[in-house]
Amino acid sequence: MPEEKPLILLAAGGTGGHLFPAEALAIELVNRGCRAALVTDERIASGDWAKRFPGEVYTLTAGTVTGTGLVAKAMGVLRLAKGTLEARALIARLKPGVVVGFGGYPTVPPVLAASMKGIPTILHEANAVMGRANRFLAKRATLIATGFPVPHPEWPEKTVFSGNPVRRPVLLVAEGEYHPPSEDGVLNLLVFGGSLGARVMSEVVPAAMQRISPELRARLAIVQQAREEDVNRVSRMYDALRVKHEIAPFFSDLPHRIAHAHLVIARAGAMTVTELSVIGRPAILVPLPGSLDQDQATNAAVIVAAGGALAVPQSAFTPVSLAEILERKMSNPGRLAEMAAKARSIGIADAASRLAGHVLSVLSKRASG
């Protein structure tokens, strides 16, 4: 009877920033002869994304303990305790060799339960600053892998830089080269911001178009994400300005859109910055304000330091300032090409392979120990 393949249990919150790297790692692990399973948010586990995952998908009770007020915190503690008991039962049944957490509060119960049972745990932190769920778990973790270089990690003896694993569609389009627009040619502008970031883009970008010269405006072809309620308004504004455009609430082929763009305007989530660098595209980044951790500002700083992007605080992201930036960028295609090359210079295309290597190393040490 052949020996059963080792199981790696992954845990991730229900956003793309957590799920995409988990999916990429799972595929790599399966290709290397392991089995993979996932614990995630209940909404994700019942959706289409779960059907793509190369293994079983489970849900556990999870809750944050950082809510405001004693009642909210007490409820969070109770949910965390309940989820941890559920995780202990799941882990006892599945018997994973390693548990890998990708951040978000659904990560906490399975990683906590695994550490209590003596099963090695790995945390992957996609952002340039560690999130609260991972920080809560960090002392117990066997290994911490970071998506961006951390100059002075808090746990240097167990921190490694792996990069952020990216999806196969990203790797496929990353094979193409960047071709800047000609001096008088069309410039493809891609604008997106996620569910929390699209509103400011819908307010600022069309208004900025009114302020650039008609000659430059005629050269633009805009693909823009907008909230459902903003799609018609934004589209009408571009119609009135005779700007070629495509507006939608969601683009399922976003990596392809990034690769087709000459310039991107976006938020600075970890996977956005990662995909921009792996594909190699210049960007204007507007970090989401108000975050306690300022994770997006820190993410943006990495690609800005490399010369691949310009970061604009939302308080300074106005139609006037954006119009000035666009006029400068459109009049200097060579500069856009330089930014694209510098963005790509920090891209880690083999991050899934690197992280899988760390997982298998930890698994091997457990087997030999």
Side-chain angles (χ1 to χ4, degrees), residues 71-305:
V71 174
K73 288 182 179 179
M75 290 298 294
V77 169
L78 288 174
R79 289 179 62 82
L80 176 59
K82 184 173 186 290
T84 303
L85 289 174
E86 293 170 357
R88 286 176 67 90
L90 179 66
I91 287 171
R93 179 162 60 89
L94 297 180
K95 298 179 174 59
V98 179
V99 175
V100 185
F102 284 86
Y105 281 95
T107 296
V108 175
V111 173
L112 195 59
S115 68
M116 289 174 176
K117 283 181 168 286
I119 297 171
T121 60
I122 296 174
L123 298 179
H124 179 270
E125 178 52 64
N127 289 290
V129 59
M130 186 173 283
R132 278 161 282 178
N134 276 351
R135 178 165 290 280
F136 175 76
L137 295 165
K139 287 184 180 180
R140 291 177 171 269
T142 308
L143 189 73
I144 300 169
T146 65
F148 296 105
V150 180
H152 305 289
E154 194 168 343
W155 296 273
E157 73 286 351
K158 60 180 180 182
T159 298
V160 296
F161 169 49
S162 65
N164 284 321
V166 295
R167 299 168 287 164
R168 181 165 173 75
V170 175
L171 296 175
L172 290 175
V173 298
E175 296 174 359
E177 296 296 321
Y178 178 79
H179 300 287
S182 60
E183 293 284 351
D184 57 355
V186 172
L187 183 139
N188 297 318
L189 180 65
L190 173 64
V191 184
F192 63 94
S195 60
L196 295 175
R199 171 59 56 81
V200 70
M201 303 297 180
S202 296
E203 292 172 348
V204 172
V205 180
M209 296 303 113
Q210 297 174 325
R211 289 164 171 80
I212 66 174
S213 69
E215 294 79 17
L216 291 179
R217 196 160 59 220
R219 292 174 49 203
L220 279 167
I222 300 177
V223 173
Q224 182 167 344
Q225 178 199 29
R227 293 185 181 188
E228 190 81 52
E229 63 268 26
D230 292 331
V231 168
N232 289 336
R233 175 179 62 83
V234 171
S235 187
R236 286 195 300 269
M237 290 182 73
Y238 288 141
D239 282 336
L241 295 168
R242 297 183 179 178
V243 174
K244 183 179 179 182
H245 62 276
E246 179 183 353
I247 316 297
F250 177 75
F251 295 108
S252 60
D253 57 346
L254 192 57
H256 171 77
R257 306 282 182 157
I258 293 174
H260 190 62
H262 293 117
L263 179 63
V264 175
I265 302 175
R267 289 297 194 188
M271 296 313 296
T272 295
V273 172
T274 296
E275 292 179 5
L276 286 170
S277 62
V278 170
I279 298 170
R281 292 299 178 268
I284 300 167
L285 299 176
V286 186
L288 186 69
S291 167
L292 292 175
D293 303 319
Q294 287 299 299
D295 52 330
Q296 290 206 4
T298 313
N299 297 340
V302 175
I303 193 170
V304 169

Side-chain angles (χ1 to χ4, degrees), residues 29-45:
L29 288 170
V30 168
N31 289 340
R32 293 196 187 195
C34 297
R35 294 176 296 138
L38 176 74
V39 176
T40 187
D41 187 284
E42 186 176 31
R43 295 164 297 175
I44 300 299

Side-chain angles (χ1 to χ4, degrees), residues 43-66:
R43 295 164 297 175
I44 300 299
S46 59
D48 291 337
W49 183 88
K51 297 173 184 175
R52 290 205 318 262
F53 187 81
E56 295 295 321
V57 178
Y58 303 93
T59 61
L60 299 172
T61 302
T64 171
V65 296
T66 59

